[in-house]
Amino acid sequence: MENKETVLVTGGSGFIACYCMIALLNNGYKVRASLRSLDKSELVKQMLKEGGINSFEDLSFAVADLENETSWEKAVEGCQYIIHTASPTPHTNAKTEEDFVIPAKNGVLFVLRAAKNAGVKRVVLTSAFGAVSYGTWKNTPYTEEDWTVLNDSVAPYQRSKTISERAAWDFIQNEGKGMELAVVNPTTVMGPVLSDDYAHSIQIIKQMLNGEMKGCPKLITGFVDVRDVADLHVKALSMPEANGQRFIAVAGEALSMLEVAAILRKKLGKTAEKAPTKELPNWLIRLLAVFNPRLKMIVPHLGLVKRASSEKAIQQLGWKPRMADEAILAAAESLIKFNQI
């Protein structure tokens, strides 16, 4: 008899979640994916198949919702580990601060309470670089010691990631009773999409390639491949030294939006001929943001260099991310494959 450990992956139809499931199945774990409705279970299987999974005998589904605490009791039953990726993203219908913060914070607490009651060994929380570097600025790379300062400049999504991660650490300290927690804080996630339903971060590439982005805002941030983010989650789940730690997921140096566009032009030639070749002045972005809520989110970060270090994950867990340009090109090529450009 095989004694495979079971991992609950929450938000099972998400970009990072699907790649975590692929990595877990390839590493011999049983996976239970939580979904708000089983309507998406076939799409999830289709995405996993696109990612190279051909057998679903170690995959099951559970219905659970971030706004329904009791739904998590059955979802976590019999699981040794949880990867909690579910959280409202800028790609969802969330509009107000409450739409982001309440389900993000409550969802974390619902999952952790259910996990503790079910005897789960360790939870890996997918937080974000948004919980590390916002509301503040420094000219050296951000590390796991840094936390977002919740002031008026912090947009609802980053605020929700900060509040929910803080709530998770507080829960472990005050009520965890020996249950373990590790946290992964990815920067801007790229890499190959698995269907025409993909992460909000990939929109940047789509907008560049289809000519929707006429000029680049002055944003400079880190990038990372979703396959490496998934690998870091599995390491954070399985390695003893990951317990009680946060890990920033970033590949190399920060890139400006203009540099991203240049990578696309250089490598994709004619396919990327609509990619922008100039930066837009900050005043113009601020003006347009009055009418565009998505632009409003980036205004506080115009002109700032958001550099980050993944030294901790590399040194402590032996993590080896691929280069950022490879992740960016993989995203672009997969969008083309799914006729999104």
Side-chain angles (χ1 to χ4, degrees), residues 55-123:
S55 165
F56 298 117
E57 64 177 289
D58 290 330
L59 174 71
S60 60
F61 294 95
V63 176
D65 193 303
L66 293 179
E67 296 180 44
N68 179 356
E69 181 160 15
T70 55
S71 67
W72 293 101
E73 291 165 15
K74 194 156 180 57
V76 305
E77 217 172 76
C79 293
Q80 288 74 47
Y81 301 101
I82 297 175
I83 292 179
H84 181 45
T85 76
S87 194
T89 73
H91 196 38
T92 63
N93 295 326
K95 297 280 188 294
T96 68
E97 190 165 305
E98 282 193 347
D99 291 342
F100 282 99
V101 173
I102 292 172
K105 182 183 177 182
N106 286 353
V108 162
L109 294 175
F110 294 166
V111 169
L112 288 174
R113 276 188 210 121
K116 189 184 78 170
N117 294 338
V120 167
K121 295 179 193 174
R122 183 180 292 182
V123 176

Side-chain angles (χ1 to χ4, degrees), residues 13-28:
S13 62
F15 189 42
I16 292 173
C18 279
Y19 273 100
C20 284
M21 294 186 324
I22 291 164
L24 289 164
L25 291 166
N26 284 335
N27 278 280

Side-chain angles (χ1 to χ4, degrees), residues 268-281:
L268 297 177
K270 197 167 172 55
T271 312
E273 63 186 1
K274 292 180 183 172
T277 56
K278 60 179 185 297
E279 279 187 328
L280 297 175

Side-chain angles (χ1 to χ4, degrees), residues 3 11 37 50 59 64 68 120 125 191 215 227 232 252 309:
N3 182 21
S37 148
E50 180 68 30
L59 174 71
N68 179 356
V120 167
L125 171 65
R227 294 165 289 188
L232 186 50
S309 169

Side-chain angles (χ1 to χ4, degrees), residues 123-135:
V123 176
V124 179
L125 171 65
T126 312
S127 185
F129 191 53
V132 175
S133 67
Y134 286 72

Side-chain angles (χ1 to χ4, degrees), residues 24-308:
L24 289 164
L25 291 166
N26 284 335
N27 278 280
Y29 291 93
K30 284 181 178 280
V31 172
R32 186 180 301 156
S34 85
L35 299 169
R36 277 178 295 180
S37 148
L38 291 182
D39 294 349
K40 275 199 166 180
S41 59
E42 284 308 311
L43 172 63
V44 171
K45 286 183 179 176
Q46 185 188 318
M47 291 194 287
L48 297 186
K49 204 167 182 182
E50 180 68 30
I53 299 297
N54 296 310
S55 165
F56 298 117
E57 64 177 289
D58 290 330
L59 174 71
S60 60
F61 294 95
V63 176
D65 193 303
L66 293 179
E67 296 180 44
N68 179 356
E69 181 160 15
T70 55
S71 67
W72 293 101
E73 291 165 15
K74 194 156 180 57
V76 305
E77 217 172 76
C79 293
Q80 288 74 47
Y81 301 101
I82 297 175
I83 292 179
H84 181 45
T85 76
S87 194
T89 73
H91 196 38
T92 63
N93 295 326
K95 297 280 188 294
T96 68
E97 190 165 305
E98 282 193 347
D99 291 342
F100 282 99
V101 173
I102 292 172
K105 182 183 177 182
N106 286 353
V108 162
L109 294 175
F110 294 166
V111 169
L112 288 174
R113 276 188 210 121
K116 189 184 78 170
N117 294 338
V120 167
K121 295 179 193 174
R122 183 180 292 182
V123 176
V124 179
L125 171 65
T126 312
S127 185
F129 191 53
V132 175
S133 67
Y134 286 72
T136 177
W137 185 79
K138 56 191 275 192
N139 56 14
T140 55
Y142 287 90
T143 72
E144 290 80 2
E145 301 299 314
D146 294 307
W147 277 91
T148 285
V149 177
L150 292 175
N151 58 32
D152 290 344
S153 75
V154 179
Y157 172 67
Q158 283 80 17
R159 188 174 289 269
S160 75
K161 298 307 274 189
T162 308
I163 290 170
S164 58
E165 188 189 334
R166 289 264 192 209
W169 288 118
D170 288 345
F171 179 91
I172 290 295
Q173 188 179 339
N174 300 323
E175 302 172 54
K177 294 187 178 167
M179 188 170 70
E180 298 178 349
L181 177 69
V183 173
V184 177
N185 300 78
T187 51
T188 304
V189 180
M190 291 289 158
V193 304
L194 297 169
S195 75
D196 56 8
D197 180 9
Y198 44 86
H200 66 275
S201 53
I202 305 289
Q203 293 288 342
I204 300 165
I205 306 300
K206 184 179 179 182
Q207 289 166 5
M208 285 183 174
L209 291 179
N210 67 15
E212 196 182 326
M213 193 186 290
K214 305 298 182 194
C216 296
K218 290 181 182 174
L219 292 177
I220 301 166
T221 189
F223 291 86
V224 64
D225 193 291
V226 66
R227 294 165 289 188
D228 298 321
V229 173
D231 177 51
L232 186 50
H233 276 77
V234 176
K235 284 177 162 57
L237 177 126
S238 59
M239 295 177 74
E241 51 270 59
N243 177 35
Q245 303 296 321
R246 316 168 85 195
F247 297 96
I248 292 174
V250 64
E253 288 299 313
L255 297 170
S256 70
M257 292 295 120
L258 198 59
E259 286 173 311
V260 173
I263 289 166
L264 296 174
R265 282 179 166 278
K266 183 180 176 185
K267 299 289 186 179
L268 297 177
K270 197 167 172 55
T271 312
E273 63 186 1
K274 292 180 183 172
T277 56
K278 60 179 185 297
E279 279 187 328
L280 297 175
N282 293 345
W283 65 264
L284 181 57
I285 301 287
R286 289 191 177 97
L287 181 65
L288 295 171
V290 175
F291 312 99
N292 184 332
R294 287 189 187 275
L295 283 180
K296 194 174 182 182
M297 288 174 69
I298 69 170
V299 165
H301 317 294
L302 291 171
L304 299 183
V305 182
K306 294 280 181 181
R307 290 160 62 213

